[in-house]
């Protein structure tokens, strides 16, 4: 199963970015193979609609879940419609966020 995480900068530091649409990098983690792929967020500099564009990218990358700090309402609805579960994290690192997800400690965000 592919899980997307939002990361700061080029992602190599493993620091979670609290912003979904404006996160610079997505880390796509395959929970079955432990493979990790860093993908630049093409929507990071969008004048408008960064969240929706980022949501489209997450769906196109085949992720079934997203772990981020905050996700805007429109992006959350788009991800939910596409069958992608969105989890909110306060963790500062990818490793901590992944462990929290594995332990069931993350709250699933639901569209209003």
């Amino acid at each position: 199963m592919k899980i997307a995480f939002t990361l700061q900068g080029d992602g190599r530091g493993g620091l979670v970015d609290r912003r979904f649409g404006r996160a610079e990098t997505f880390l796509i983690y395959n929970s079955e193979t432990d493979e990790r792929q860093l993908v630049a967020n093409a929507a990071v500099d969008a004048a408008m609609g960064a969240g929706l564009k980022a949501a489209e990218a997450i769906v196109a990358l085949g992720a079934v879940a997203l772990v981020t700090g905050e996700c805007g309402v429109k992006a959350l609805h788009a991800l939910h419609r596409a069958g992608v579960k969105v989890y909110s994290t306060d963790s500062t690192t990818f490793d901590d966020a992944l462990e929290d997800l594995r332990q069931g400690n993350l709250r699933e965000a639901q569209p209003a």
Side-chain angles (χ1 to χ4, degrees):
M1 156 169 86
K2 290 185 178 179
I3 306 164
F5 292 80
T6 54
L7 298 184
Q8 296 177 12
D10 65 5
R12 293 196 177 119
L15 297 176
V16 171
D17 196 321
R18 304 249 342 119
R19 309 160 302 162
F20 170 58
R22 299 288 177 188
E24 292 183 61
T25 303
F26 300 126
L27 185 149
I28 307 302
Y29 174 74
N30 187 322
S31 64
E32 295 166 4
T33 64
D34 201 41
E35 289 179 78
R36 298 158 194 218
Q37 174 188 12
L38 293 174
V39 178
N41 177 9
V44 71
D45 292 324
M48 293 176 53
L52 287 175
K53 290 174 184 169
E56 290 172 0
I58 293 300
V59 172
L61 288 165
V64 298
L66 166 69
V67 178
T68 189
E70 301 292 330
C71 185
V73 174
K74 291 178 184 177
L76 181 60
H77 279 281
L79 290 163
H80 187 68
R81 280 192 305 272
V84 177
K85 292 184 178 191
V86 177
Y87 296 93
S88 297
T89 184
D90 290 325
S91 298
T92 55
T93 67
F94 162 74
D95 291 329
D96 290 344
L98 178 60
E99 186 60 26
D100 284 344
L101 181 65
R102 286 179 173 156
Q103 297 297 321
N105 295 331
L106 297 182
R107 175 182 58 85
E108 184 177 348
Q110 295 291 330

